[in-house]
Amino acid sequence: MTERIYLLPLWIRLWHWSNALLIITLSVTGFSLHFADPKLPLVEFSLAARLHQVAGIALVALYAFFVVANLVTGNWWQYIPKPPGIIERCWVQAKWYMFGIFRGEPHPYRVSEETNFNALQALSYWFIMYMVMPLMLLSGLLFLFPEFAPDRVFGFDGLLPVAVVHYLTGAVIVMFMIAHIYLGTTGTTATSMFKTMINGWHEHVGPEESRHGDRRHADRRGS
Amino acid sequence: MFSTWCQRIFGALLVAGLCGAPVHAGSDSPIDSETLAKNRKANEVCFACHSPAGIAKPPRADLDMSKLADSRVEPEIFNKADHGVMDCRQCHSSKHYGAEYPHGAAGKTETSPCNECHAAKQLRLEPQFNASVHAKVEGVKEKFTCNTCHNVHVNVLALRLKDPAKIVEQDNHGCLACHNSDATFARFAPASDKMPGQKKARPDIDTIHEWLPNTKAHWKAVRCVECHTPEVAAGKMLSHEILNKEKAEKKCLTCHSADSSLKTRLYRHMVKDEQQRLGFTNSVILSNSYVIGATRHPELDRIVIGFIVLTLAGVLGHGAVRFIAALRRRKNGEKQ
Ligand code: HEM
C-alpha cells in the first residue's frame, strides 16, 4: 500500500507554475535584450522588451501574492531552516547528492506536512525567494521607472548599478532554475516530484523508501 | 574676465567690422580681445531693452511690452552661444537698429541670411536641406529656413557643448518646439486635405512613436535626427536631410547592439576618447546612458555564461552518472 500525504495546497501549485512560466519567459527575453546582436537568432528586440515588461510586472504582482499568502497561511515557516543541527543536516543532504544518490541509498530526509523541505532546500529557497528575488524585482522596477534611479554614479549613468544588479541576480536565478529543475528528477522516480507539484499528493512509499527510508527516518527522530 | 573669454574662443573666427559687413566664417584668425570687448559693449545698448532685466525695468515707458517680452535675449546664454562673440548688428542691420526706438520698419526683412557668412557650409548643406521633408511640402517649404531649427542666439556647436545630454536637449528642442506645440506647428502646417480651409492637425509625437518603449526616456537620451536622417560615414557631420516617415529608422538594434550607430552620431565627438573604462564596451555612451545591448561588459558576460554552462554541465554530468549507476544496480539486482 502506498502512503500518500496531501502536501501542497492548490494556491502553492498555481503560484509555482505561474512563477515558472514567467521566469522562463523573463530569462529568454532578458537574454535576448542583453545579448542583442543582429547576428544572433534571439527574440526580436522590441518584442522581447514588450514581453519582458509585461512578464516582469506580472511577476512583481505574483511575488506580492506569494509573500502575502505565505504570511496568511503560515507557509513561510517552511522556508526557515530550523535548529538544531542545521549544518549537520545540510551536510547529510549534500553527501547524499554527492554519493548516496548514485548508490541508490534512500533519501536521508522524509517529507511531512510539517516540514516539506529538506534543510538544503529550505536554505536555498529562502535565499532565492527572500534575498535574490526582492533585489531582482526592485532593480527591474527601477529599470521600468528610471526616474527613481540615481542620476549619476562614479561618472557613469545612474542606471548602471541597477542594470548590473538586475543582470547578476537574473543570472543567479537562471542557475538556480537549472539546478532546481534537475533536482526535481531526484524523487522516488524521475517524475514523481513533478507529479506532486501538479496534483499536490506526495507518495511516501516508493519501492526504495519502503525498504530503508522509514527506518532511518525513525532512527533520526529517535535520537 | 575678457581674457578668459579670449581663451575660450581662441580659434574663433575674426568677426570683421561693426557695420554688418559680411564676414567669412572659415577664416581661422581668432577674434581679438579688443574686438570682443567692443562687441560686448555695443550689445549692452540692445540688452537695455532685450533682456530679462530690460523687460522687468524698461528704460522707456512707451514700449510695446507684449512684443518686447517675446523678443527676449538672455545675455548669459547669448554670450556663450556660437554667435556670442558678435555684435548684434552684424546680423541686425545697424541702419534700423540702435538705441533709438521704434526700430526702422524695414529691419525685420533685412536680417543677414546665414549664407552671408556661412557660404561654403550652406552650399554643402543646401542639397540635403532641399531634399528634406520640410522643403517638399507645399505650404511648409516657403516658411522653413535655417533658423527654424537653429536658434542663433542660443545654440552651441555640439563639439563645444560636449555633454551629450545638453546636445540632445538643444537639438531636440529645435524639433519639439514645433512638433510638440500646437501653436507653432499651426503656423507652419500645410492645409488639411480632409477639412478644407483648415490646417493639418499636429500628430502627437508620443503617439506616433508608440512602438518605441518609454519614448520620454528616449527623447532625453537620443536626438530625433538620430533616426530621421540618412546614414553618413563615421566622423562626418550628420546630414541635413530629414527623411520622411517611411525611411525613418525603426530597427532597435541600430542603437541597441555592441556596434551601436550612436558612435557615429550623438557620440561622434567622444568616440576618440573611448578607453573601455572599467572594461565596458562603449563606455563613452555609458557616461551618459545605459543603453541595453550597447553598453556591456564582455568580461562579466563571459563569467556569467561560464557559470551557467558549468551549472548545466554539472547537472547533466550528475544525471548521467546517476543513470549509469541505476542501470548497473538494476543489472546487479537481476543477477542476485
Ligand atoms: C528571472 C527573472 C528575470 C531575468 C532573468 C531578467 C533579465 C533581464 C536582463 C538580462 C535584462 C537586460 C538588461 C541588460 O542588458 O543589462 C533585463 C532588462 C529589464 N528587466 Fe528583467 N529580468 C527578470 C525579471 C524582471 C522583472 C521581475 C522585471 C520588472 C519588474 C524586469 C524588468 C526589466 C526591465 C524594465 C528591463 C529593461 C528592458 C525593458 O524595458 O524591457 N525584469 N532583464
Side-chain angles (χ1 to χ4, degrees), chain A residues 26 30 34 49 52-53 56 60 136-137 140-141 143-144 166, chain B residues 290 292:
Chain A
L26 285 161
H34 188 81
H52 197 86
Q53 287 176 4
V60 170
M136 143 72 45
L137 298 174
L141 284 173
F143 235 137
L144 210 52
H166 196 70
Chain B
Y290 183 87
I292 297 168

Side-chain angles (χ1 to χ4, degrees), chain A residues 32-46, chain B residues 249-262 291-294 296:
Chain A
S32 300
L33 290 169
H34 188 81
F35 293 96
D37 189 319
K39 291 190 288 292
L40 293 180
L42 303 163
V43 183
E44 195 273 319
F45 195 88
S46 61
Chain B
E249 184 61 70
K250 209 171 188 175
K251 288 195 294 295
C252 317
L253 295 194
T254 310
C255 297
H256 289 282
S257 63
D259 196 24
S260 178
S261 82
L262 289 170
V291 184
I292 297 168
R296 323 181 185 169

Side-chain angles (χ1 to χ4, degrees), chain A residues 15 58-68 129-130 133-134 137:
Chain A
W15 165 78
L59 188 63
V60 170
L62 192 64
Y63 185 76
F65 164 77
F66 173 78
V67 171
V68 171
M129 289 313 296
Y130 292 108
M133 275 294 264
L137 298 174

Side-chain angles (χ1 to χ4, degrees), chain A residues 73-197:
Chain A
T73 60
N75 189 57
W76 62 276
W77 184 239
Q78 297 282 357
Y79 290 82
I80 311 297
K82 290 159 205 74
I86 300 175
I87 297 175
E88 191 208 322
R89 271 182 288 136
C90 281
W91 176 236
V92 168
Q93 188 68 31
K95 255 196 334 211
W96 184 76
Y97 285 134
M98 285 187 291
F99 310 108
I101 188 171
F102 300 128
R103 299 196 203 109
E105 283 174 17
H107 285 251
Y109 165 77
R110 188 190 157 99
V111 169
S112 69
E113 276 113 330
E114 299 81 50
T115 46
N116 69 37
F117 300 147
N118 68 49
L120 263 188
Q121 269 177 321
L123 262 181
S124 59
Y125 291 174
W126 173 82
F127 178 69
I128 292 291
M129 289 313 296
Y130 292 108
M131 300 299 282
V132 181
M133 275 294 264
L135 274 178
M136 143 72 45
L137 298 174
L138 203 67
S139 58
L141 284 173
L142 280 174
F143 235 137
L144 210 52
F145 302 100
E147 54 272 29
F148 294 107
D151 225 25
R152 309 199 61 74
V153 175
F154 304 125
F156 285 123
D157 182 42
L159 213 54
L160 175 64
V162 173
V164 171
V165 166
H166 196 70
Y167 179 46
L168 293 182
T169 48
V172 168
I173 288 180
V174 168
M175 286 186 277
F176 168 80
M177 184 171 69
I178 294 171
H180 180 70
I181 294 173
Y182 173 70
L183 291 178
T185 67
T186 60
T188 311
T189 68
T191 54
S192 62
M193 283 164 122
F194 294 100
K195 280 188 197 134
T196 303
M197 195 38 98

Side-chain angles (χ1 to χ4, degrees), chain A residues 1-5 110 188 201-210 214:
Chain A
M1 224 341 257
T2 47
E3 187 191 335
R4 269 157 54 111
I5 55 170
R110 188 190 157 99
T188 311
W201 288 92
H202 176 81
E203 313 228 342
H204 266 318
V205 193
E208 287 186 351
E209 236 181 338
S210 64
D214 289 345

